[in-house]
Amino acid sequence: MVRRTRVVVVGAGFAGLAATRELAKGGALVTVVDRNPYSTFQPLLYQVATAGMGTADVSYPIRTFAARWPNVRARRAALSKVLPNERRVELEDGSSLEYDYLVLATGVTTNWLGVPGARENALPIYSLNDAATLRRRLQHYLEDTAAGRRASTDVVVVGAGATGVEVAGTLAELRRRTLPLTHPEVRPDQTSVTLVERFDYVLAPYKPRLRQAAENALRRRGVRMRLGSTVASVEPDAVVLKDGTRLPSDVTVWALGVTAPDQVADWGLPQGKGGRITLTEALNVPDHPEIFVAGDLGAPPKPLPQLAQPALQMGKHAARQILAAAKGEPLRPFRYSDPGIMATVGKAEAVLERPSGLTVRGFPAWLTWIFVHIAYLLGGRNRASVLLNFFWRYLGPRRTATSVTQ
């Protein structure tokens, strides 16, 4: 009897689950490992943070995913060590798993960029727990402001990439559309949303006309723009800029930069910029071809954007190379198929750019953004719930926008 290929996939994000799905269909014996019992749909975390969706809407049980195939097992555990020479990984619970091939898809973590006080006083929005923490903080401060225990609730968002723009736009809409209903005691001058960006424009990867459209949309929603500004430090109640300006901030959202976790350095694998693992064109480690890396943790020869699509394609490619290698076939280099980029600013407003140069903005781009994201959600219940939440929140009666208090 021929022994089937054993593959350990560490990380149940876009890349890890894409690899698991492809390996499962190819007949490999797969164990998918993650520190959480669920997979998180990160592009919609800002909706959880602003109470537009619940945590269950953007998460999916890993064991439910694994149950689709008889040759897949799920394991809740955190990776401790990679032992390449032994073809074994050690987990933080003291157990270990042997493998023929390993896929590392653990993702990256928040990069505080050495800014004093950022780690202690700012809130990232990279995990489900981050989003829930931000939502609780906002709700608590708004209640205190309404009761007169706080003078204000000012929010500063640092970083005007897609995440920062989406967070700032949604918070600004909540401030204008929701708070007058849920917190009538709070005056408009007691709340604010400020977006800080070191460049003179938002959404750096986009064409200038889309950047300007997004900036204009944010300004219309009441977002205070501090473009061309660099953060010098973050204090408990303020963000201090390099020019000495002190921006009052009760809640500081850090949407600026990611880096490899510190523990990656202990794995004995080559690292490049940002601590990411150096890879060949086939997405495996040069001195350990049985180890593949997919998603943001990997650094292939040609840099890729840190988005969902590259992660999905990298995971699928890594799995196909493993299946090919198990049959003695040669590995193929990874080729990224760019579907374009998109970001939403708020109700009926988004920007979309295709590789061909085609650009779309406004309501058509917003609808496209919604349906593309729903298509990639795991589980029919999640898709239905998210679709309902989007249209009920943005297109339903004005009173339905009061979900900020949930």
Side-chain angles (χ1 to χ4, degrees), residues 16-260:
L17 294 191
T20 299
R21 183 184 293 109
E22 199 72 14
L23 288 164
K25 292 190 293 185
L29 297 176
V30 187
T31 301
V32 56
V33 180
D34 197 280
R35 66 173 62 247
N36 297 309
Y38 52 81
S39 175
T40 303
F41 193 79
Q42 288 182 314
L44 292 180
L45 282 177
Y46 80 95
Q47 287 283 341
V48 176
T50 57
M53 295 178 188
T55 55
D57 294 328
V58 299
S59 61
Y60 192 80
I62 298 172
R63 287 192 175 275
T64 301
F65 177 84
R68 299 176 183 180
W69 302 276
N71 51 324
V72 177
R73 295 291 181 268
R75 182 80 173 270
R76 182 183 181 182
L79 179 63
S80 176
K81 292 181 181 179
V82 178
L83 304 171
N85 295 329
E86 301 175 30
R87 294 202 176 191
R88 183 167 61 89
V89 293
E90 290 186 354
L91 307 177
E92 287 186 357
D93 62 8
S95 63
S96 64
L97 293 171
E98 295 181 347
Y99 61 82
D100 297 314
Y101 294 91
L102 174 65
V103 178
L104 294 172
T106 56
V108 287
T109 190
T110 304
N111 188 351
W112 302 105
L113 300 174
V115 175
R119 184 187 297 270
E120 296 80 9
N121 301 312
L123 297 174
I125 186 168
Y126 198 73
S127 70
L128 204 59
N129 184 61
D130 291 340
T133 299
L134 175 55
R135 179 171 64 185
R136 287 194 298 269
R137 182 79 60 87
L138 284 169
Q139 291 168 351
H140 177 69
Y141 284 2
L142 286 170
E143 286 299 319
D144 281 355
T145 303
R149 294 187 293 268
R150 296 185 70 86
S152 64
T153 299
D154 297 306
V155 181
V156 174
V157 181
V158 180
T163 299
V165 165
E166 289 169 351
V167 171
T170 305
L171 287 175
E173 287 188 339
L174 286 174
R175 175 177 173 266
R176 291 195 318 162
R177 187 168 183 248
T178 302
L179 291 186
L181 297 174
T182 59
H183 298 72
E185 307 92 338
V186 179
R187 302 188 312 273
D189 64 342
Q190 288 182 286
T191 62
S192 68
V193 178
T194 304
L195 182 61
V196 178
E197 170 58 48
R198 66 187 179 95
F199 294 123
D200 293 325
Y201 43 80
V202 303
L203 298 176
Y206 292 73
K207 289 184 178 295
R209 59 178 172 271
L210 292 184
R211 295 175 189 164
Q212 192 61 54
E215 180 184 337
N216 293 342
L218 289 169
R219 291 186 185 278
R220 287 197 303 271
R221 285 162 171 76
V223 178
R224 299 175 181 176
M225 308 295 289
R226 293 303 303 251
L227 303 179
S229 301
T230 303
V231 175
S233 64
V234 181
E235 299 176 356
D237 60 351
V239 172
V240 182
L241 305 181
K242 289 281 189 182
D243 64 5
T245 302
R246 193 171 183 275
L247 303 175
S249 180
D250 300 287
V251 179
T252 301
V253 182
W254 195 262
L256 185 65
V258 292
T259 187

Side-chain angles (χ1 to χ4, degrees), residues 344-357:
T344 181
V345 183
K347 178 183 178 182
E349 187 68 52
V351 292
L352 183 158
E353 183 177 329
R354 294 279 294 160
S356 63

